[in-house]
Amino acid sequence: MRRSFPGAPWIKLPADSMAPLRSLLPLTLLAGLSARAQVPVEPPARNPTPDESWATPAQVESSSGQGARDEQGWNTFPGATAVPEGEAAAGLPRLPEVPPMTVVDNPPGARESRLRPVEPAGPPAVPNRVSLLGARTVGAGRVAAGVSLGFPVVSARVAVGVLPRLDVLAGFDTLYGTMNELRLGGRWVVLEGGARWSVGVVAEGSRAFFLRSASVEDKGARYLSGRRNWNVMPGLVASFQVQGARTPRFFLDARYLVSFDTEPLQRTPLGGLPPNLVTTSSWPVRVGAEVPLSEKTSYSVSLGGDVRSGTEDAAFMPVVSVGIVTGL
């Protein structure tokens, strides 16, 4: 029989030398089993003691340099670089110094002011003092003009300043062509409270021309307008303006109208011949406002009515008009 070992030469053993070994192997196994049977084996504990070695932190010895590096790694931001100091920092460019930030309390309404667009700063608005329907005069050497459209008449007015407190007035009224009236008068300021309010006296005379004669007219131009051939209208006018450069200017115009009819008619069959001249009276009242649009231009709104006493006129005639007033 031959046995080979790695890296060793072949060794040849005689066959009869293996006989004692074969007889001793069963005896050795039997002796080992009997010894193991004699050793008592304790059963495992029912409730073994838990392993708490993990609760005690392990003490790891390290060199001073390694501990310092570990501590620096925990306390610094990843990727941080060293800041040069001394001579190394002298050659570096300097950043502009920024003042420290301070907390400022916002005043009330600061949030709303940021939300609204900021208007560009400019010169203050020039107040509008041009009045044609109120008591305030336009001033010496100045001119104001205006037109209005309404019921029952369409009007055009011009005011020329003769003195600081006196204006000459000229106008034209038409009942859409069926009655045309030329007017001339004046306005004088009696009381004035600065730029806020004023009270004045106004008087106008007019000559009216009718498209149809009185004999063929029935509730036409004379009935609606209250005018006759000649008319005189004295009265009082007052105005008040709210404080501000472009605030509305309110006015009140109250007059007494005396009409002279040179074409009277006798409505009763046995009344005889009518007189050559018949007078009637009425009380026109107007209230309204001039709302400035710019330094010299305003739009006007007027409401009111005529209270009449003539038998051939309406007892009350409403009046409404809108227009525009401007300084020239």
Side-chain angles (χ1 to χ4, degrees), residues 37-261:
Q38 294 176 1
V39 177
V41 179
E42 297 181 0
R46 191 168 188 177
N47 294 321
T49 303
D51 183 9
E52 297 181 356
S53 60
W54 58 270
T56 304
Q59 301 294 331
V60 181
E61 295 182 0
S62 62
S63 63
S64 59
Q66 183 66 26
R69 286 195 298 271
D70 293 343
E71 184 178 357
Q72 184 179 5
W74 283 104
N75 296 334
T76 58
F77 187 79
T81 57
V83 179
E85 298 180 356
E87 297 180 357
L92 298 177
R94 291 183 173 273
L95 297 176
E97 296 184 359
V98 179
M101 299 179 63
T102 57
V103 179
V104 180
D105 295 335
N106 293 331
R111 179 179 175 83
E112 291 77 9
S113 63
R114 290 196 301 269
L115 297 179
R116 289 194 296 265
V118 179
E119 297 181 359
V126 179
N128 184 302
R129 305 301 184 194
V130 180
S131 179
L132 186 61
L133 304 178
R136 184 178 180 85
T137 55
V138 297
R142 299 181 179 179
V143 180
V147 294
S148 62
L149 175 66
F151 174 84
V153 297
V154 177
S155 301
R157 295 281 189 277
V158 176
V160 180
V162 179
L163 298 173
R165 289 175 172 262
L166 179 63
D167 291 344
V168 174
L169 304 176
F172 173 77
D173 289 357
T174 177
L175 185 61
Y176 299 94
T178 59
M179 186 276 300
N180 301 305
E181 180 184 27
L182 299 175
R183 308 174 64 157
L184 184 63
R187 176 175 56 178
W188 175 45
V189 177
V190 179
L191 300 175
E192 188 174 16
R196 299 289 302 278
W197 61 273
S198 55
V199 179
V201 177
V202 63
E204 289 183 282
S206 66
R207 175 70 167 93
F209 302 90
F210 297 92
L211 183 63
R212 304 178 64 182
S213 63
S215 59
V216 297
E217 185 182 78
D218 184 19
K219 294 185 178 180
R222 292 173 176 81
Y223 177 83
L224 294 175
S225 65
R227 309 291 197 272
R228 295 297 185 267
N229 304 97
W230 297 91
N231 307 276
V232 178
M233 291 173 287
L236 297 175
V237 61
S239 60
F240 174 79
Q241 186 172 11
V242 182
Q243 187 175 4
R246 303 291 171 82
T247 54
R249 182 172 44 253
F250 301 95
F251 66 87
L252 169 64
D253 189 338
R255 304 194 189 188
Y256 176 68
L257 170 62
V258 181
S259 300
F260 301 92
D261 190 358

